[in-house]
Amino acid sequence: MAPSSVRSWWRSLRRSQRPSDNAVNPTQALNYRLDPTEAKRQIDRIPRFRILVMGRANAGKTTVLQRVCNTTDQPEIFDGTGEKVDTRAVQGSLGRGYHNIEDELVFKSNPRYVFHDSCGFEAGSEAEFDKMKKFVTDQAKSTKLENRLHAIWYCIPLNESHRMVMAAERKFFNECDSGHVPVIVLLTKADTLNLDAVQQLMRRGLTVDDAMKEAPGVEKQLQQGCLEKIKGWLNELKFPPQSFLILTGMEQESADCEELLKCTANALTEEGLQGLLISSQQSNLGLCMEFAIMKTLKRSMNEGADHFDLGELPYALGSWFPFEVCEILQVPV
């Protein structure tokens, strides 16, 4: 949503306010403005949103993180003490699927997200699996908000449909209890099924041109088929994921990550964490608006006039937006 639309909505909200009976200055109540400094203080009480991204090498993990942070740059890496790691001295990179799981990966374009990368353990290394399992357990049980793991994205690529779920995935979902931390399975590289769709149509006798025209519909069917298979396999295990999501278009720099963020937010059980996730993203104000209305405004209206605190409402609504938007909203009426 464009900033002008946000400003219009905010003006209408402020005009609808009425001074409370005990207001010292009715004029101040009518002309109430959201103080960006106060809004930032409220939002900053919650630390950065922390995500563990998992999956085998070449599962498209880096691309997903770049799209979420709206960048094509590689992340900066920080160790457990907050010291920046010299990537030239690191053997391997996120793109090659290797990192110390305790390292923090942060993109300059959006430092309100912090990611951890679990190096692939598909080779059967018990040591790597045990290290990952301990990290997940320790993070899930941490009493310090700044150390807590908030979500896990497990990437499964669909470019190798003959081996979508392997021993590594079965081992993780059978043995790793993430506690209250939701695990969302992301089906990456789903666009590669387009070629399978074209080949399938050509085997039915269609020409290349006709097959390419009909391919999108068949491609969606193939994607849905893969999703149902993976759901069937993983939901039978001891610790199944909370959600599944097919990701398409991730190779495009302008890829839309709205469904990924909504899926992750809906998997969270704490509204404070939902607000942190949504306000941390910076490219979709419509998504911020949706959650602000559905979570905060709708709840306030349902509570009735006796509990409808107009003085607190702007802060509650503003917590769903990036701090920069709170500054945009400071316009004269």
Side-chain angles (χ1 to χ4, degrees):
M1 180 173 292
S4 59
S5 300
V6 178
R7 288 196 292 268
S8 299
W9 171 78
W10 188 251
R11 288 194 190 98
S12 65
L13 176 63
R14 286 164 56 187
R15 283 197 295 268
S16 68
Q17 294 184 3
R18 294 293 183 270
S20 61
D21 294 337
N22 59 353
V24 176
N25 189 334
T27 302
Q28 289 180 349
L30 282 169
N31 294 326
Y32 182 85
R33 291 188 177 92
L34 179 61
D35 178 13
T37 302
E38 175 64 14
K40 187 175 190 301
R41 185 182 70 83
Q42 295 281 347
I43 295 172
D44 284 350
R45 287 180 177 178
I46 305 177
R48 300 170 298 171
F49 197 85
R50 190 179 297 269
I51 301 171
L52 170 63
V53 57
M54 303 186 63
R56 69 196 74 157
N58 299 316
K61 294 180 289 182
T62 305
T63 301
V64 172
L65 304 190
Q66 288 173 325
R67 298 299 171 262
V68 169
C69 293
N70 196 27
T71 184
T72 58
D73 296 334
Q74 291 295 315
E76 294 182 316
I77 306 173
F78 299 88
D79 62 21
T81 65
E83 293 294 323
K84 188 173 181 179
V85 176
D86 184 358
T87 54
R88 294 172 299 180
V90 176
Q91 294 296 321
S93 66
L94 180 62
R96 299 190 187 97
Y98 172 84
H99 265 309
N100 184 338
I101 193 172
E102 296 181 359
D103 286 347
E104 297 182 347
L105 312 178
V106 181
F107 291 90
K108 286 184 178 180
S109 61
N110 194 340
R112 288 186 66 85
Y113 286 121
V114 55
F115 302 101
H116 295 269
D117 174 41
S118 173
C119 58
F121 47 85
E122 61 263 31
S125 171
E126 287 295 326
E128 290 296 341
F129 181 84
D130 291 342
K131 183 178 180 180
M132 176 278 300
K133 186 176 179 180
K134 182 179 185 304
F135 176 81
V136 171
T137 302
D138 291 347
Q139 292 279 334
K141 295 189 302 183
S142 177
T143 58
K144 294 184 178 180
L145 288 177
E146 63 269 22
N147 294 333
R148 278 183 59 184
L149 192 63
H150 301 134
I152 298 174
W153 290 343
Y154 201 117
C155 297
I156 297 179
L158 298 186
N159 61 325
E160 297 178 325
S161 56
H162 61 286
R163 56 175 202 146
M164 293 181 292
V165 172
M166 300 191 300
E169 285 77 31
R170 292 191 178 92
K171 186 175 180 65
F172 175 80
F173 290 106
N174 250 336
E175 301 181 23
C176 191
D177 183 4
S178 64
H180 63 273
V181 181
V183 181
I184 298 98
V185 167
L186 306 181
L187 305 187
T188 58
K189 301 191 176 183
D191 303 282
T192 59
L193 294 178
N194 181 267
L195 179 58
D196 292 346
V198 171
Q199 292 176 340
Q200 186 179 118
L201 289 166
M202 290 180 65
R203 285 195 293 270
R204 297 178 188 174
L206 273 69
T207 65
V208 175
D209 289 341
D210 289 341
M212 292 181 68
K213 291 178 182 178
E214 300 292 332
V218 177
E219 180 185 358
K220 288 184 179 180
Q221 294 175 8
L222 293 175
Q223 292 171 353
Q224 193 62 34
C226 290
L227 173 62
E228 294 304 320
K229 287 180 181 179
I230 293 173
K231 275 186 176 181
W233 292 327
L234 297 185
N235 282 338
E236 293 180 351
L237 302 181
K238 188 175 182 180
F239 303 108
Q242 273 78 0
S243 300
F244 299 81
L245 182 66
I246 299 173
L247 293 182
T248 58
M250 288 294 108
E251 293 304 318
Q252 302 174 12
E253 293 183 15
S254 59
D256 185 3
C257 294
E258 178 174 333
E259 288 304 314
L260 171 56
L261 295 171
K262 288 175 66 173
C263 180
T264 304
N266 289 329
L268 297 168
T269 57
E270 301 173 27
E271 187 171 308
L273 289 179
Q274 291 178 326
L276 175 61
L277 171 64
I278 298 302
S279 66
S280 294
Q281 62 87 31
Q282 300 173 344
S283 59
N284 192 329
L285 295 184
L287 186 60
C288 299
M289 182 77 71
E290 178 181 340
F291 274 82
I293 292 175
M294 296 304 297
K295 294 291 184 178
T296 300
L297 189 58
K298 186 176 181 180
R299 181 180 64 248
S300 298
M301 295 175 69
N302 289 338
E303 289 175 349
D306 293 339
H307 299 89
F308 198 83
D309 190 340
L310 288 175
E312 293 296 327
L313 182 60
Y315 294 109
L317 291 171
S319 67
W320 294 95
F321 292 84
F323 175 59
E324 292 78 6
V325 176
C326 296
E327 292 180 312
I328 292 173
L329 295 177
Q330 290 300 292
V331 293
V333 179

